[in-house]
Amino acid sequence: MRLSVPALLLATLLAASPSLAQAVSSGKLTGRVTDASGAGVPNAVVTLRSPVTGVTRETTTSLSGVYALEFLVPGSYAMRVEAFGFSPVFVPTVRVAEGRAGTVDVTLNAALPPVTRIDTVAAPGTSLSRWSGTGPLVSRQDL
C-alpha cells in the first residue's frame, strides 16, 4: 500500500497535533532561589502541587539557583521550596497561564538549628551538677 505525499503529510500533521496542542495549552514557571544575601541556592527542591488534581511536579535548581517547570496544566498551584540549611518557603497560590511563562523568585532564610549544650560545673568543695537542655544560652546576669 502506497500513500500519496498529501496523505503522508496529513498523517504527519495529525500525529504531531497532540504535542502541538500540549505546547499551546500548557504554561511554564521559572524563577531563581536565593539566600538573604542574594546568592543563588543550588540544589534547592521546588515542588508545585495542584490542590484540584493533587498532581505534583518537582525540580531542583541549577548551580546559580535557577529552576524551570515546563508543560504545566494552566491553573493554580501551591509551591514549596526547600534546601539543606534553610527554612522551607511555602507560596500558597501560584498561577500558571496558558501559553505563558510565569516567574516566581524565592528568598530562603538560613535555618537555625536548636542549641543543645551540656555543661558540667564544679567549684572547689561543691558537688557536681549537670544541666542538659535546648534553647538560648542564659547567663547568671540574665537571671
Side-chain angles (χ1 to χ4, degrees):
M1 179 171 127
R2 291 184 54 146
L3 292 175
S4 66
V5 172
L8 187 57
L9 184 60
L10 179 61
T12 303
L13 287 174
L14 288 174
S17 64
S19 60
L20 289 174
Q22 182 181 16
V24 172
S25 65
S26 67
K28 178 179 179 178
L29 188 65
T30 62
R32 187 162 185 246
V33 178
T34 57
D35 63 15
S37 73
V41 177
N43 299 315
V45 178
V46 179
T47 306
L48 284 184
R49 184 179 181 282
S50 169
V52 174
T53 64
V55 172
T56 300
R57 293 280 307 272
E58 185 175 287
T59 190
T60 56
T61 59
S62 68
L63 290 176
S64 60
V66 175
Y67 72 90
L69 287 162
E70 299 182 281
F71 305 113
L72 297 170
V73 175
S76 292
Y77 292 84
M79 178 183 204
R80 182 177 172 89
V81 181
E82 51 193 333
F84 181 77
F86 295 91
S87 297
V89 170
F90 182 73
V91 182
T93 305
V94 173
R95 299 199 191 286
V96 174
E98 182 176 327
R100 296 207 163 159
T103 302
V104 177
D105 295 326
V106 175
T107 301
L108 297 178
N109 292 311
L112 299 175
V115 176
T116 302
R117 183 175 172 152
I118 300 173
D119 284 342
T120 303
V121 180
T126 63
S127 63
L128 294 176
S129 64
R130 187 174 184 166
W131 177 83
S132 174
T134 60
L137 300 177
V138 178
S139 71
R140 185 174 285 281
Q141 294 170 347
D142 293 334
L143 297 177

